[in-house]
Amino acid sequence: MFENRLLSIEHTSLTPAEKKSCVWISDSIILQCLLVFVGTATIGFCLWSPEHSTYDYDKLFRIMYLYDPLACGYNLRASKSIRNLLLNNETSIRNILPIQWMPAVLTVSTKLSAKTRKYVNLSAVIHVVWLLVAIALRIIRFSKESQPLKYMLATVLYTTVFVTAFDLSMAIVYIAHIQQSLTYGMILRYSGWSVEMKVQNYDDFGGWFPMVASICWMRGVIILALNVYSCRVLQLLRRRVRKGEEKRRLVLEEHGPIPEAEFKKPDEDKVLYYRTGEHEPSRSKHRRLIFF
């Protein structure tokens, strides 16, 4: 009975319900990774060109985040520079105040689309690691040993926490772009498309573009909440496996295992025996046992 109890504690496998939890967690991770890879491929292969878009919001969102003209080989026409008018400052003869010469102030493009391209590529690398970890979880969930399960659950947990924290940090970065996109005109000016593209109303509010980008980095908020819940489930599973290991250790300390029987050759020189009618023992003179 003790051996059966010890065997059941030693093989700390997951229950069928816990295995199903590991399956839907790994499936959700794999689906998210595939969506990220598809989105990264569309941006990497320059499929979001604004030339064929019709609506203003579609054009502006593409030039702001999805289409990098420098990486895609599209030459933007630069705005005509303002020529400085040079005047003679020798105005002592005439009653005219001198004009101080100053260089023209030009707006420098922030190239948010180039930064988005870099961030998306970094996110794709992170999701490759996340995908491999999720596939490993589907395989190791059948293990009956506690050590592989414990390490695998910890790896998936910490990786999911890192991905969630990365998404939240990127959402904060993108929500700060509102100060550069208050109007449609500001988006065109900061992105460098002011000469290439025209919109119907330059004064329309464009701050919702960074809001949408921030929500996309948070995976629509719903998927982000699902990832947080997955972290909680993984933490409980890992705690249950560790609790099983601790229970096994306490059982072994309280009831040690029965040692196996070992054959030991008897030493006949130290065996005492009595003959019939004798009261004092004597040693055997021959290397064999005599039974009466």
Side-chain angles (χ1 to χ4, degrees):
M1 181 177 178
F2 171 74
E3 293 179 354
N4 296 332
R5 181 185 175 187
L6 182 61
L7 184 62
S8 63
I9 297 176
E10 182 178 1
H11 298 286
T12 311
S13 59
L14 298 177
T15 62
E18 293 172 342
K19 291 180 181 179
K20 290 182 180 179
S21 299
C22 293
V23 169
W24 71 258
I25 290 174
S26 59
D27 289 344
S28 65
I29 294 174
I30 293 173
L31 180 60
Q32 293 178 59
C33 292
L34 294 178
L35 293 177
V36 170
F37 295 154
V38 171
T40 304
T42 58
I43 295 177
F45 290 103
C46 304
L47 300 181
W48 297 101
S49 177
E51 295 179 339
H52 306 291
S53 57
T54 305
Y55 301 100
D56 290 343
Y57 65 86
D58 188 16
K59 296 178 182 178
L60 294 176
F61 197 82
R62 292 188 181 197
I63 66 175
M64 191 173 181
Y65 292 122
L66 302 179
Y67 187 79
D68 182 16
L70 183 61
C72 296
Y74 187 90
N75 295 323
L76 290 175
R77 292 179 295 174
S79 301
K80 294 181 179 180
S81 60
I82 302 175
R83 293 184 179 180
N84 296 301
L85 181 62
L86 299 180
L87 298 177
N88 190 4
N89 288 333
E90 294 296 332
T91 58
S92 58
I93 302 175
R94 306 173 184 84
N95 190 14
I96 301 176
L97 296 176
I99 299 175
Q100 184 179 2
W101 178 83
M102 295 182 62
V105 179
L106 300 178
T107 302
V108 180
S109 175
T110 55
K111 298 298 182 183
L112 297 179
S113 58
K115 294 182 179 179
T116 300
R117 191 182 186 90
K118 180 176 65 176
Y119 295 152
V120 166
N121 291 335
L122 177 60
S123 179
V125 175
I126 295 174
H127 280 77
V128 168
V129 179
W130 203 22
L131 176 64
L132 296 177
V133 169
I135 295 174
L137 177 62
R138 290 184 62 91
I139 299 174
I140 301 182
R141 77 180 191 274
F142 295 106
S143 177
K144 294 183 179 180
E145 301 295 333
S146 60
Q147 291 294 334
L149 284 174
K150 182 178 65 174
Y151 293 139
M152 192 69 252
L153 291 173
T155 303
V156 179
L157 173 62
Y158 295 142
T159 308
T160 307
V161 170
F162 177 79
V163 173
T164 304
F166 176 78
D167 292 338
L168 289 176
S169 63
M170 294 307 303
I172 296 174
V173 170
Y174 273 74
I175 202 65
H177 293 167
I178 294 180
Q179 59 183 354
Q180 302 175 4
S181 59
L182 294 177
T183 61
Y184 285 5
M186 291 180 64
I187 295 175
L188 291 175
R189 182 168 68 252
Y190 280 108
S191 61
W193 287 78
S194 58
V195 178
E196 299 284 340
M197 187 175 299
K198 305 297 180 183
V199 293
Q200 295 180 358
N201 192 352
Y202 288 86
D203 295 329
D204 287 347
F205 178 70
W208 62 272
F209 291 106
M211 295 180 184
V212 172
S214 179
I215 293 174
C216 290
W217 277 105
M218 289 191 294
R219 305 171 189 270
V221 180
I222 298 178
I223 301 180
L224 180 66
L226 178 63
N227 290 336
V228 174
Y229 177 73
S230 300
C231 293
R232 178 59 178 171
V233 174
L234 291 171
Q235 183 181 11
L236 293 177
L237 292 178
R238 179 168 172 262
R239 185 180 300 174
R240 209 274 296 173
V241 174
R242 295 178 62 182
K243 185 177 179 181
E245 285 186 343
E246 187 68 17
K247 185 177 180 180
R248 176 177 177 270
R249 185 183 65 83
L250 293 177
V251 169
L252 290 178
E253 290 180 356
E254 183 178 358
H255 304 285
I258 300 175
E260 297 291 337
E262 297 181 359
F263 175 77
K264 185 176 181 181
K265 186 177 181 181
D267 191 355
E268 297 181 359
D269 295 337
K270 298 180 180 180
V271 175
L272 299 179
Y273 66 95
Y274 288 89
R275 292 183 180 274
T276 304
E278 294 182 355
H279 301 283
E280 296 183 358
S282 61
R283 295 185 178 274
S284 174
K285 297 181 180 179
H286 304 285
R287 294 183 175 273
R288 62 186 180 87
L289 294 178
I290 300 177
F291 297 95
F292 296 93

